Amino acid sequence: MPRLPVVGADNNQWGSLLNEFLVVAHRPDGTLRSGSSMLDVRDFGVVGNGVADDSVALNNCLKAASDDGKTVFIPSGMNIRVIRNLFIYGNASIVGENKYQCKITLDGDLEAQGAGMSAYWVNFGIASKGGMVSAWTGSISNLQFYITAGGLGTGPNLHAIQFHRAEDFAFENCIIDLRPVGHANCAAMVSQIDGGWCSSPGAARGRIANNLVFGENNGSPATGGSGGINLVGLKHGLIANNRVEGFADDAIAMIDCSHCVVRDNWVKGVRSRVAAFSGSDITFLSNYLERQAGVDGIWVANTDFYAAHLAGPYSAAPENIKFIGNTALLPAQAVDGGGYHNFLDLGGVRGCVANGNIFICDSNQTNKTRLLTWVFTAFPTWTDPTGQDPPGKSRPYRIMLSNNLLTGQYPGQIEEAATLASDLVGPILYEGNLASTSPRLI
């Protein structure tokens, strides 16, 4: 066992004994090794110079933290380059010293490391693909996650952050930067139900707050492309104070989620909707969304705030959705591409309140901007599990639109859309709204 030298003894070996003793608590550069409750990535051989492949070393550190419920520490100045999937589970956390100076970079084709391994980069709640499931209950803070063009690789799609099984977790004060991958099918943060990766997925009681999430604002939104915070099945979640910018697909999407609050987020993009697809008891409060023109300088047909069905015939109608105090801006200085633009789009929703929202249109659309309520008929084979609606129709029930303001140079209008008047079951109540025209049936 290493020990301190004894003065006047040890046959002049005191120098060697001292060095042997010091190396237990110190690294070769003289800095202290981490204590018992925190694991420093450098103690596991992470180089962090942006050139060396630190995949194995970082995964070893994450495994040790996951197995023992400890915190991984990443000091300032490190750029940890990896080319493999990462896994963290249990009561483990990762903390960086400074999110602008603590970077984990995916810079290698994950697909080349094994077929089918490219779908998700940083995986929470499992020890390996299809391996042990251990709900992640820790926190991530003060880090930057960065994906290069090489990191996107040859896979058909990629999620940067993937919550497989997570409970009582926090992801805060981080940067997720997908700009180098351009207009690719890549999402920043997702909870996805995928039995090939996790046998019992689910996310609950999570807090995603104060993050900067960047995508590259190029390409045509019609071809899909990058997405921001897209959560599936989250229960009792908070998504707050995030800046989500540059995405060509949904910026914030709540998919079959329940009892969640989405508040005080700042969103800017070409087609960056803030949306509830199916799900229930979701409140969108005080969010700001600014629309951007595409790289060709033309506005595209789009929706800002949205509540309707999930993309599939087996989804349920959204219930108890609230849009309160949000702002959407369609600025000027772009070519009118024609088509619709809906500030607020309610398709077959059951129980919805839209109150105190401000919608500003300074771009002259061929079809005026709208606050639209309509019967959802996109899936002809859809069957209402409650038995209230005929096949293929999800009709709006219990809608209240109050004190909303449609303003700007071209302020738009409030509309209802249905084939038959009986499709608008209602009641659909309007009170204190200000727009260019009164509500009308089309």
Side-chain angles (χ1 to χ4, degrees):
M1 177 181 292
R3 63 174 177 83
L4 285 170
V6 178
V7 178
D10 292 326
N11 297 319
N12 294 321
Q13 297 299 310
W14 64 270
S16 297
L17 289 169
L18 181 60
N19 286 334
E20 184 180 355
F21 176 81
L22 291 175
V23 79
V24 174
H26 295 77
R27 302 184 190 88
D29 63 0
T31 58
L32 284 171
R33 296 185 185 275
S34 57
S36 58
S37 63
M38 187 170 289
L39 305 180
D40 193 308
V41 292
R42 294 171 294 184
D43 294 335
F44 289 79
V46 171
V47 178
N49 63 2
V51 178
D53 177 14
D54 286 321
S55 302
V56 174
L58 181 57
N59 259 327
N60 287 340
C61 186
L62 295 177
K63 183 179 187 304
S66 298
D67 290 341
D68 297 332
K70 295 186 176 181
T71 297
V72 172
F73 173 68
I74 299 178
S76 289
M78 300 207 82
N79 180 5
I80 303 175
R81 176 180 175 267
V82 300
I83 60 172
R84 295 181 182 272
N85 303 86
L86 302 176
F87 299 90
I88 182 170
Y89 49 91
N91 190 27
S93 298
I94 311 176
V95 60
E97 197 169 7
N98 184 313
K99 67 183 177 185
Y100 297 102
Q101 299 179 21
C102 301
K103 181 186 291 187
I104 302 177
T105 299
L106 175 60
D107 185 33
D109 186 359
L110 295 177
E111 191 72 16
Q113 311 306 318
M117 289 296 286
S118 65
Y120 314 121
W121 176 30
V122 187
N123 298 273
F124 292 86
I126 56 176
S128 61
K129 180 183 178 181
M132 180 190 72
V133 179
S134 177
W136 175 62
T137 59
S139 63
I140 305 296
S141 60
N142 299 318
L143 291 176
Q144 181 175 169
F145 296 88
Y146 185 81
I147 298 182
T148 69
L152 182 65
T154 58
N157 54 70
L158 181 68
H159 297 168
I161 305 297
Q162 171 66 38
F163 302 118
H164 294 283
R165 185 71 180 275
E167 300 171 358
D168 302 295
F169 66 93
F171 195 104
E172 300 178 301
N173 200 36
C174 290
I175 300 173
I176 304 175
D177 194 344
L178 307 185
R179 287 175 292 188
V181 307
H183 185 67
N185 194 4
C186 185
M189 185 181 299
V190 179
S191 58
Q192 180 78 27
I193 298 174
D194 187 337
W197 281 73
C198 181
S199 60
S200 56
R205 300 176 302 281
R207 185 173 69 252
I208 299 170
N210 303 305
N211 301 290
L212 304 177
V213 187
F214 298 122
E216 181 59 43
N217 199 23
N218 62 359
S220 168
T223 63
S226 56
I229 301 173
N230 300 164
L231 302 173
V232 179
L234 175 64
K235 315 298 182 186
H236 300 280
L238 174 65
I239 296 86
N241 297 107
N242 301 286
R243 175 181 174 184
V244 186
E245 183 175 358
F247 289 95
D249 211 335
D250 296 320
I252 301 175
M254 309 299 290
I255 305 164
D256 198 25
C257 298
S258 65
H259 299 95
C260 292
V261 175
V262 180
R263 64 167 177 82
D264 298 301
N265 299 284
W266 189 94
V267 172
K268 187 175 183 179
V270 172
R271 189 177 174 264
S272 294
R273 290 181 298 190
V274 175
F277 296 98
S278 298
S280 63
D281 301 287
I282 302 172
T283 298
F284 297 92
L285 175 66
S286 300
N287 300 284
Y288 174 84
L289 187 153
E290 181 177 332
R291 186 64 56 198
Q292 289 179 282
V295 291
D296 54 5
I298 296 177
W299 295 122
V300 295
N302 211 346
T303 291
D304 296 326
F305 292 94
Y306 184 71
H309 283 241
L310 183 64
Y314 304 106
S315 61
E319 293 197 37
N320 301 327
I321 310 298
K322 299 180 179 66
F323 295 92
I324 300 174
N326 301 284
T327 300
L329 170 64
L330 184 62
Q333 300 176 342
V335 178
D336 180 9
Y340 71 88
H341 189 97
N342 297 330
F343 280 128
L344 179 61
D345 193 329
L346 307 175
V349 179
R350 297 175 178 183
C352 181
V353 174
N355 177 265
N357 302 286
I358 300 175
F359 305 119
I360 306 165
C361 180
D362 287 330
S363 178
N364 185 11
Q365 296 290 292
T366 302
N367 297 318
K368 286 184 177 294
T369 55
R370 301 179 295 185
L371 191 161
L372 178 67
T373 303
W374 57 293
V375 55
F376 194 94
T377 58
F379 308 127
T381 59
W382 183 73
T383 301
D384 182 5
T386 69
Q388 297 181 78
D389 285 334
K393 288 186 179 181
S394 177
R395 299 180 295 179
Y397 291 81
R398 307 182 309 280
I399 309 297
M400 176 176 281
L401 308 176
S402 60
N403 303 310
N404 299 290
L405 175 62
L406 280 74
T407 185
Q409 188 174 358
Y410 309 100
Q413 58 201 29
I414 299 173
E415 294 186 358
E416 301 166 352
T419 303
L420 302 172
S422 60
D423 290 335
L424 296 169
V425 178
I428 303 174
L429 303 178
Y430 303 92
E431 183 177 271
N433 301 289
L434 292 177
S436 61
T437 62
S438 300
R440 63 185 179 89
L441 183 65
I442 60 172

